[in-house]
Amino acid sequence: FFFSSRRRHTRLQGDWSSDVCSSDLFTNFSDLTKIQRNGNNLLKLGATGWDAGAISLNKVSNNGFLEFTASETNKARMVGLSASYGSSSYTNVQYALYLQSNAVIGVYESGTSRGNFGTYATGDVLRVSIESGVVKYYKNGTLLYTSTVTPSLPLYVNAALNDVGATVTNAMVYNYNTGSFMANAAQEIGRAHV
């Protein structure tokens, strides 16, 4: 009994992408008595009002995105992307998903409403992405709105929280790097002989 084998070599070519994400997304620019930061999560403290906000440490580049998870459905907050941080007001968030206190989700751009797009629920995954220089808004992978305002890249994650107890949960930045690769794959082909 013996085993014989031969190798088959195949050359593969194609595109690759790698994602880079941050585990330390936000740096707080508001009064620390009004917002609490814990890793990738924010919590509004103090009184109700658009007076608590944060800006990210990491930038979102072209073909990158911000993603976060909705928690409560009864607290107002806006989360999105901006070229800079001017204040904690929602008007400072250039490209924002607006999670309203009645579980309705909307889109605001620099304080201007672009409309409401249904409702959101606890656990929904929300995304603001930059795709080939165009900002797009998603809920659970479904496109809600495509912006007509060209972004000035890169952008930072910007959050404005209104209601006490409002949160931003599991906020992450992903940036994709694309390129080409070449690899050799070897496959062992064997046969048993008696």
Side-chain angles (χ1 to χ4, degrees):
F1 179 84
F2 68 96
F3 184 82
S4 65
S5 69
R6 62 190 167 106
R7 285 187 164 231
R8 179 182 296 167
H9 293 274
T10 306
R11 178 165 281 181
L12 303 173
Q13 288 183 282
D15 294 323
W16 61 272
S17 66
S18 65
D19 61 312
V20 179
C21 61
S22 166
S23 62
D24 189 22
L25 180 62
F26 285 108
T27 182
N28 190 343
F29 278 75
S30 297
D31 185 338
L32 291 175
T33 63
K34 295 180 182 174
I35 196 167
Q36 181 181 39
R37 176 184 165 265
N38 181 10
N40 293 352
N41 306 310
L42 297 175
L43 171 66
K44 168 74 185 281
L45 305 172
T48 296
W50 294 104
D51 58 355
I55 190 85
S56 67
L57 293 168
N58 289 7
K59 299 172 187 173
V60 179
S61 300
N62 194 28
N63 298 316
F65 59 90
L66 151 72
E67 192 170 83
F68 64 101
T69 305
S71 293
E72 71 287 344
T73 59
N74 62 345
K75 307 287 183 185
R77 65 266 195 212
M78 292 196 191
V79 184
L81 302 173
S82 297
S84 63
Y85 184 81
S87 72
S88 59
S89 172
Y90 70 90
T91 60
N92 188 63
V93 186
Q94 288 178 287
Y95 304 94
L97 280 168
Y98 180 23
L99 297 134
Q100 300 171 47
S101 59
N102 58 357
V104 170
I105 187 168
V107 171
Y108 266 67
E109 294 183 337
S110 298
T112 301
S113 175
R114 301 300 186 205
N116 291 326
F117 300 91
T119 59
Y120 69 96
T122 299
D124 282 348
V125 177
L126 305 167
R127 179 183 292 188
V128 182
S129 69
I130 306 165
E131 300 173 19
S132 299
V134 177
V135 177
K136 297 183 179 183
Y137 304 84
Y138 294 89
K139 181 183 81 171
N140 297 325
T142 300
L143 179 65
L144 299 177
Y145 180 76
T146 300
S147 179
T148 59
V149 179
T150 303
S152 177
L153 300 175
L155 299 175
Y156 296 90
V157 177
N158 193 348
L161 291 79
N162 182 58
D163 293 320
V164 176
T167 65
V168 178
T169 305
N170 197 30
M172 300 293 285
V173 166
Y174 296 85
N175 284 301
Y176 289 96
N177 299 313
T178 59
S180 60
F181 71 89
M182 187 177 297
N184 288 317
Q187 178 183 11
E188 198 74 37
I189 301 172
R191 187 173 13 178
H193 301 275
V194 179

